[in-house]
Amino acid sequence: MQAMVWYSGHFGRSDAAKWLGRLSAWCVGALVTAGAAEISEAQSRFQRGDYAECLVQCQEELGADAPDESWSVLAARCQLTLGQYPEAQAFLTNAIRRHRTTIRLRLLAQEVLAAAGETDLAQGYLKEIDELGSYRFWDYQQAPDLVALGQAALRLGVDPKLVLDRFLEPVKRKMPEDRHAYLAIGELALGKNDYALAAKTYTEGLAKLPNDPDLHLGLARAYAPSERAQAAQSIERALGLNPRHVPSLLLLAEHAIDAEEYDAAEELLGRVWAVNPGQPEGWALRAVMRQLDHELAAADQARATALRYLKRNPAVDHLIGRKLSQKYRFREGAAHQRLALELASDFLPAKIQLAQDLLRLGEEAEGWRLAGEVHQQDGYDVTAFNLVTLRDKLAGFTTLTNRDFRVRMERKEAALYGDRVLQLLDRARADLPAKYGLDLSEPTAVEIYPEQKDFAVRTFGMPDNPGFLGVCFGSVITANSPASQAGDPANWEAVLWHEFCHVVTLRLTRNRMPRWLSEGISVYEESQANPAWGHALTPKYRELILADEFTPLSQLSGAFLKAKSSLHVQFAYYQSAVAVEFLVQRYGRDCLAQILHDLGAGQQAQTAMAARTAPFEELDRGYAEFLERRARSLGAGLDWEKPEPGVLVGEMADLAEFVAKNPTNYWAATLYAQSLLEAEKWAEAEVVAQGLAERYPENTGAEGGYALWAAALRGQQKAEAEREVLEAWAMRDADNLGAFLRLGQLAEVRGDWPAVERNAERLLAVNPLLYQPYRLLALASEELAKPAQAAYAWERALLLEPPDPAEAHYRLARALHQQADPRAKRHVLEALAEAPRYRDAHKLLLELTPAAAPASAPSSRPEPGPRPDPAPPAAATAPGAADGSLDKAL
């Protein structure tokens, strides 16, 4: 049975809390169900989708004066499902007269009347429920009645947590075979964005009632935000039980719109309208598609049809706005949430959605205020709670500004690399808008979060959305800081470049562009700015491409939503970037910019692309050929055929024999090189790994030729050869924290200070929260006579609790003294506070205060200088190295 979503209003609490307490105690006793075989058969018909036949059966029973009100409830639901709204209103009015103490019929009538704009009548029914619950609570012992009273309590303003804990959960425990409590609890949890509770409840229900399509649908809705594959399986089961299950068809239509499969969405909506020609949510989704196509008159007509019978139904505009916001059309989405709130000012789903839309638009004052209002009105709403908690935490962040950017960061992180963030963004702004003909005048807001859960709340409203490094909403960027990526570091400069490119393309198109084109341009521009950025072709991608498991260009947006795993999501990014490269090579960058301008002018994506390039059939063909050529060119000197499984899991001697006969087999050679390294057979491993690196230089992974080759050379203490290999590796991989650190150490030992400086900068582009890169940069700056840069590096090193703070303060004082900076004296005193007999610090203090008396005899502590051992202190090992080991990372 479809869950009702129409708004019911918000009335005074009256005696609801009192009778809720009495009922919760009362229902601990014996609970009974209406178990007549006839009504059970009719309900089964309804669940199978035989709505018209079910209605006829109900009318026959009611004509025979059936005493059980369940027949009237079921008849009314049949009428509503079939779209007979005026008939349902008249029927409910008469049925309530017949069943004078009914709760369920009044609750159903109140929903319909409130959505139809009959506010006074709806409020009257709710008051009657309140009175009946207060004075006749002993009459309501059946689970459907008890659950209906719990739902009424929610509409009367009782705390949802109280209703859940003291009422709905006890009903579920006492009557685990009845569906009503599972559906009510699941709907309540979904309405508060508590997807974990919703999934748990629907799963429990399905364990008892595996053939209930509504429970399968509920589980799909619980999984939809994070587990699309599981959601699809649940919808498939629901439709297997009821092919005409309207809410499941609607959810599938939503997914099709998300994937830009609009023809499929129209087909699904046709199946909905075959059941109910006026189905409001179906027409709301039609309005979304027409608005996305810039057919505004048709969109208005579809919205009007959705509101034809239920004129005050805020769920219509809420759905339209939510789907538009999912397409990054936040301003249009916000406008529809405002329309929903005009129909029902306390419709909290619209209010919290509007809060998120405004925050994404950078309109923070109103956005935070609305989130606070929702939290105050409903403490159980998870999204509102998360946002209010985040708002309080953001109060402690630092804001850095210039003419074009406003960057908000955690205080310590801002002190460490906030200036680098602004410099990087300035470079991106000087490069990208001009490429695409955008006059960008408004500033961009950037927020960088050290905790992934805070980033997820700001971005998605919920803390559990792993895998994203950054998100751009148009004029607002949110990003994870390196602090949240210790186990898998990513180049934060590449991330911000990528996201600022989104600023350019989204602003240019007014957020009207397919997802694949938006992501593809951003990844493509990463590689244009730095060849080591972007997404590289991997053996697994090669395998997917040559197995024809890639997505055609015309359907690429769907690749993100239908991804089977995180690998397939990354593959979608790679395919999108290759598609953009294909378009640029074949039609030119100017053509790409013109397409973006056309989208901003309101043209549909396929129309704009076909007009500027070629029909999509031709584009799909050309893209497929381009992608396959790219895949076949990868490691062209290698044999990519996978050996029999026994070869790769057998003895090392058998593997060695296979490699001797097949020296270019990628899979066997990789495994053999790894085995040789584990056995510390360095020279043999070097030969195999060198062959892999030379034949497949694009492989920058931990199993690639460079990584294996460098490890073999290090095992033989061939430092110069190791350096050359690491440098070749580093040129191709901008995230390679371990290689950059090792290169910096090797350069320090041989006194190659430009190389030390270069690798320190590389390290800072991956993780500016480590001590080592600042120390390397400071030492190189001293040797290269760059005192200002040395002072910059030592100042930041001191923020990271260096292993020798006396040395850091002394060297900072020396660099400041070279610039005649008066702060030098404070830092030399700090050095002496750490090490009172530090000879060189005393000498520097004398230089700074020549009139001072001679110092007492200091110790013979040597002046700190370059350390001969390139290995870093154990406590300061780069977190990017696996298990804290540089050897393993390399």
Side-chain angles (χ1 to χ4, degrees), residues 7-25:
Y7 179 63
S8 57
H10 181 78
F11 305 105
R13 293 177 182 271
S14 190
D15 291 328
K18 295 180 182 178
W19 58 253
L20 180 64
R22 284 188 282 177
L23 277 167
S24 63

Side-chain angles (χ1 to χ4, degrees), residues 10 18 103 129 193 210 404 426 438 454 456 474 514 549 639 673 708 716 777 848 862:
H10 181 78
K18 295 180 182 178
I103 295 292
I129 293 172
N193 300 303
D404 300 311
D426 283 339
L438 174 66
D454 291 333
E549 293 185 31
D639 169 16
L708 301 173
Q716 300 174 78
L777 181 61
L848 293 169

Side-chain angles (χ1 to χ4, degrees), residues 226-543:
S226 57
E227 302 288 345
R228 285 290 181 119
Q230 290 177 278
Q233 291 175 4
S234 294
I235 297 175
E236 185 178 345
R237 294 189 182 104
L239 289 172
L241 294 164
N242 179 357
R244 306 176 76 217
H245 195 242
V246 169
S248 291
L249 294 170
L250 289 169
L251 190 55
L252 275 182
E254 279 198 52
H255 290 181
I257 291 171
D258 294 342
E260 298 174 16
E261 297 173 353
Y262 300 118
D263 290 342
E266 287 285 0
E267 187 272 330
L268 289 162
L269 293 180
R271 292 168 63 183
V272 168
W273 292 323
V275 177
N276 177 356
Q279 213 290 327
E281 291 173 273
W283 285 104
L285 293 177
R286 165 69 70 81
V288 170
M289 289 190 286
R290 296 291 79 81
Q291 195 155 339
L292 291 174
D293 288 341
H294 208 61
E295 297 175 9
L296 301 184
D300 289 342
Q301 182 58 50
R303 175 181 178 272
T305 304
L307 294 169
R308 178 180 178 185
Y309 295 109
L310 305 172
K311 297 178 174 59
R312 304 291 298 178
N313 181 7
V316 168
D317 279 301
H318 172 57
L319 176 58
I320 295 172
R322 179 169 60 82
K323 299 309 294 182
L324 289 172
S325 293
Q326 287 175 358
K327 293 292 185 180
Y328 279 42
R329 307 276 278 270
F330 302 112
R331 198 161 298 283
E332 295 162 73
H336 278 281
Q337 302 308 334
R338 293 191 190 279
L339 288 173
L341 291 169
E342 287 178 10
L343 295 175
S345 60
D346 278 350
F347 186 58
L348 298 188
K351 186 175 283 191
I352 192 62
Q353 182 65 47
L354 177 58
Q356 291 181 278
D357 287 343
L358 294 173
L359 290 173
R360 291 161 180 163
L361 289 165
E363 299 176 20
E364 293 191 358
E366 186 179 5
W368 290 124
R369 178 180 61 78
L370 290 171
E373 287 180 7
V374 174
H375 180 60
Q376 188 173 17
Q377 292 175 266
D378 184 0
Y380 182 27
D381 189 290
V382 176
T383 299
F385 172 79
N386 289 337
L387 287 173
V388 169
T389 302
L390 178 63
R391 178 192 62 191
D392 296 340
K393 183 176 289 189
L394 279 172
F397 276 37
T398 293
T399 300
L400 309 173
T401 60
N402 63 17
R403 185 187 64 181
D404 300 311
F405 296 96
R406 188 193 68 197
V407 178
R408 183 179 290 168
M409 304 174 67
E410 185 271 334
R411 290 182 184 277
K412 184 175 179 180
E413 292 201 4
L416 283 166
Y417 71 105
D419 57 334
R420 289 175 173 268
V421 170
L422 285 173
Q423 290 166 12
L424 183 280
L425 291 169
D426 283 339
R427 293 203 305 273
R429 193 185 184 287
D431 178 69
L432 293 169
K435 284 184 176 180
Y436 293 93
L438 174 66
D439 180 14
L440 185 60
S441 56
E442 295 182 20
T444 301
V446 180
E447 298 177 1
I448 301 177
Y449 292 90
E451 293 188 53
Q452 194 277 335
K453 63 182 179 63
D454 291 333
F455 160 79
V457 167
R458 176 66 172 91
T459 307
F460 309 107
M462 303 297 288
D464 300 320
N465 273 283
F468 288 88
L469 296 173
V471 172
C472 173
F473 300 116
S475 59
V476 176
I477 292 171
T478 59
N480 276 300
S481 96
S484 66
Q485 308 163 31
D488 187 19
N491 190 296
W492 64 265
E493 291 186 347
V495 171
L496 290 185
W497 195 279
H498 177 108
E499 299 305 333
F500 183 74
C501 187
H502 280 310
V503 172
V504 173
T505 56
L506 290 175
R507 295 291 289 278
L508 195 58
T509 62
R510 299 182 185 179
N511 289 34
R512 299 168 182 166
M513 63 188 306
R515 182 174 180 184
W516 75 264
L517 184 58
S518 179
E519 298 295 355
I521 292 175
S522 282
V523 177
Y524 173 76
E525 288 296 350
E526 281 186 64
S527 63
Q528 295 300 297
N530 185 337
W533 291 354
H535 286 57
L537 179 59
T538 68
K540 184 59 181 177
Y541 294 172
R542 178 187 185 277
E543 186 178 336

